[in-house]
Amino acid sequence: MRGTRRALGAVSTTAALVAGLTLTTTGAAHAQDGTALATRTFTFATMRSGDCTMLSGARWTLTSDGRAFFDGTVTSSDDDDAWLMWAKIKDENGAVLGWLRHTRSNPTNLTKFVKNLPSHTERYRWQIRPADAEFDAGLFPLVKHMSLSNHC
């Protein structure tokens, strides 16, 4: 019975990852001048790649001015790993509109976000600030879904 539950859990986790399962919420944030910006938040289930894990509840929040904020927790079962992540924004049909860009990234890969994981005994809170992640603000009205690619 325990093996069956594990197998079903693995299948449902895999299906969620393949589908890019997210929970989407909308809201408002305030810009520096006090005006309200529209927001969309995408919350992700647990994701795994190699020795690395991003825990359930990690979320990207996009604002109508083309900025993005990430808040999540990552860990690894091995020392000196890194969680690499690429975030795609998609329309209502799941078609890719573009990728979030890391404003402080190496010019050879502007869409890659990296969190170093030095110790396997620790969980690491990862926050990417709005000044560090952006997308084409003109696409905001079309964004209905988001998916993540990852590597460890």
Side-chain angles (χ1 to χ4, degrees), residues 15 47 61 69 82 128 144:
M47 295 182 158
T61 299
F69 174 83
I128 300 171
K144 303 296 182 206

Side-chain angles (χ1 to χ4, degrees), residues 37 106 116:
L37 297 172
N106 181 327
N116 290 322

Side-chain angles (χ1 to χ4, degrees), residues 42-147:
F42 301 90
T43 305
F44 295 86
T46 298
M47 295 182 158
R48 291 182 174 80
S49 178
D51 295 328
C52 299
T53 302
M54 182 175 76
L55 302 178
S56 179
R59 66 186 179 278
W60 274 103
T61 299
L62 281 56
T63 59
S64 56
D65 67 349
R67 296 178 188 260
F69 174 83
F70 177 78
D71 188 13
T73 301
V74 290
T75 190
S76 178
S77 61
D78 197 11
D79 290 341
D80 299 317
D81 268 336
W83 182 266
L84 286 65
M85 174 172 60
W86 297 263
K88 294 178 194 173
I89 53 174
K90 299 180 174 186
D91 71 8
E92 65 186 12
N93 297 313
V96 175
L97 296 168
W99 286 259
L100 297 186
R101 295 179 301 274
H102 192 301
T103 60
R104 301 178 199 271
S105 183
N106 181 327
T108 61
N109 194 342
L110 294 174
T111 60
K112 179 172 63 176
F113 296 86
V114 179
K115 177 67 175 174
N116 290 322
L117 307 171
S119 173
H120 74 280
T121 63
E122 301 291 336
R123 291 180 172 183
Y124 295 93
R125 183 76 174 265
W126 188 11
Q127 293 183 320
I128 300 171
R129 308 254 178 240
D132 295 338
E134 66 182 11
F135 64 99
D136 179 352
L139 296 173
F140 184 81
L142 301 174
V143 178
K144 303 296 182 206
H145 302 285
M146 189 172 190
S147 68

Side-chain angles (χ1 to χ4, degrees), residues 4-60:
T4 302
R5 279 186 274 183
R6 282 188 184 153
L8 288 174
V11 168
S12 64
T13 299
T14 301
L17 293 175
V18 170
L21 178 63
T22 60
L23 300 174
T24 308
T25 59
T26 57
H30 292 281
Q32 289 179 347
D33 65 3
T35 60
L37 297 172
T39 64
R40 289 202 176 86
T41 300
F42 301 90
T43 305
F44 295 86
T46 298
M47 295 182 158
R48 291 182 174 80
S49 178
D51 295 328
C52 299
T53 302
M54 182 175 76
L55 302 178
S56 179
R59 66 186 179 278
W60 274 103

